[in-house]
Amino acid sequence: MAQAFIEVERKFIPGPDTEKRLQELGGTLEHRVTFRDSYYDTPELSLMRADHWLRQREGSGWELKYPGVAVVAGPHTEYVELTVEPAIVAQLCEVLGADILGAGSVAVVLGPLGLQEVASFVTKRSAWKLVLSGADEEEPPLRVDLDTADFGYAVGEVEALVHEKAEVPAALDKINSLSSMLGVLAQETAPAKVIMHLQRFRPQDYQHLLEVYSPRERPQGTKAPNSSLG
């Protein structure tokens, strides 16, 4: 089975000169792409309440993200990222307290687990990669995604993928360094697209979701409804 990655990322609100700044820093535009994301959960949002995010991306298949043990505190997130379907099914069964024998396909377990589409939207993405000046040539580049969702929300993220918890602090140093070069303030955060979608189109579910989390534990960059969401 393929090894799960730990996704270390920091979200921010991009400005009109973000792409120009990436070019100045030596960044390379890999591609521009448009895709649809559909998120699945129970009617009670049992997965999201447990900080588990099940997504089907058009052309890419299924992905499940859930929090790893935070190694470093700060305005970033550390999520385990599963893309192999049997591993996704096993984790879904664990968090939902279900036992479905012999099921290796996510589509097969949606019904038995009571999962349904709760959010779906189209994103236009500019995907960049960049190796920081002075870094080892063999070092994997940082990725910067600049997204605009079809409901009008724009968000950027600086991301590194690592295999081990021990690699998180070094990855975070690089993410914070690049974020600073892009003009992102030290403690700036930005909500994930799915959170903004819920806030705009399912406000009651959004409120219920926030009730589960303390201010320091809110998922994927969420903030209290009356505070600035950038």
Side-chain angles (χ1 to χ4, degrees), residues 8-206:
V8 186
E9 69 176 31
R10 183 167 176 193
K11 289 183 168 60
F12 65 96
I13 301 299
D17 297 326
T18 299
E19 289 199 342
K20 179 181 177 182
R21 183 59 178 149
L22 282 167
Q23 289 178 318
E24 293 172 347
L25 293 170
T28 301
L29 176 63
E30 287 197 295
H31 56 258
R32 299 186 192 274
V33 65
T34 301
F35 54 83
R36 177 176 289 278
D37 283 333
S38 298
Y39 284 81
Y40 288 77
D41 209 331
T42 67
E44 304 78 25
L45 302 186
S46 300
L47 291 178
M48 293 181 181
R49 285 170 177 259
D51 207 358
H52 281 58
W53 306 84
L54 177 63
R55 180 186 74 198
Q56 185 180 41
R57 174 162 291 173
E58 183 181 39
S60 299
W62 292 94
E63 178 184 89
L64 178 66
K65 292 185 183 180
Y66 59 94
V69 177
V71 178
V72 182
H76 67 286
T77 59
E78 298 168 28
Y79 277 84
V80 176
E81 186 177 88
L82 299 180
T83 56
V84 177
E85 290 200 34
I88 293 174
V89 170
Q91 184 67 21
L92 290 174
C93 289
E94 180 177 336
V95 71
L96 294 174
D99 187 11
I100 301 176
L101 296 177
S105 165
V106 175
V108 169
V109 302
L110 291 179
L113 292 178
L115 299 173
Q116 61 188 33
E117 183 182 288
V118 296
S120 184
F121 48 86
V122 173
T123 295
K124 292 183 178 180
R125 166 171 293 178
S126 299
W128 294 75
K129 65 179 180 180
L130 185 148
V131 176
L132 292 178
S133 177
D136 191 316
E137 290 185 2
E138 297 182 358
E139 210 170 273
L142 293 173
R143 307 191 70 85
V144 181
D145 291 333
L146 304 177
D147 291 353
T148 302
D150 61 1
F151 55 93
Y153 178 58
V155 65
E157 71 177 38
V158 184
E159 174 188 289
L161 294 177
V162 300
H163 290 284
E164 305 291 342
K165 293 177 185 176
E167 299 174 278
V168 169
L172 184 57
D173 284 345
K174 295 167 191 169
I175 287 172
N176 286 336
S177 178
L178 178 54
S179 297
S180 178
M181 294 176 190
L182 293 175
V184 180
L185 299 178
Q187 295 300 313
E188 179 181 337
T189 61
K193 297 187 296 293
V194 63
I195 292 296
M196 291 301 293
H197 189 277
L198 291 173
Q199 184 192 34
R200 295 186 186 187
F201 300 107
R202 301 181 62 154
Q204 288 186 323
D205 286 339
Y206 171 79

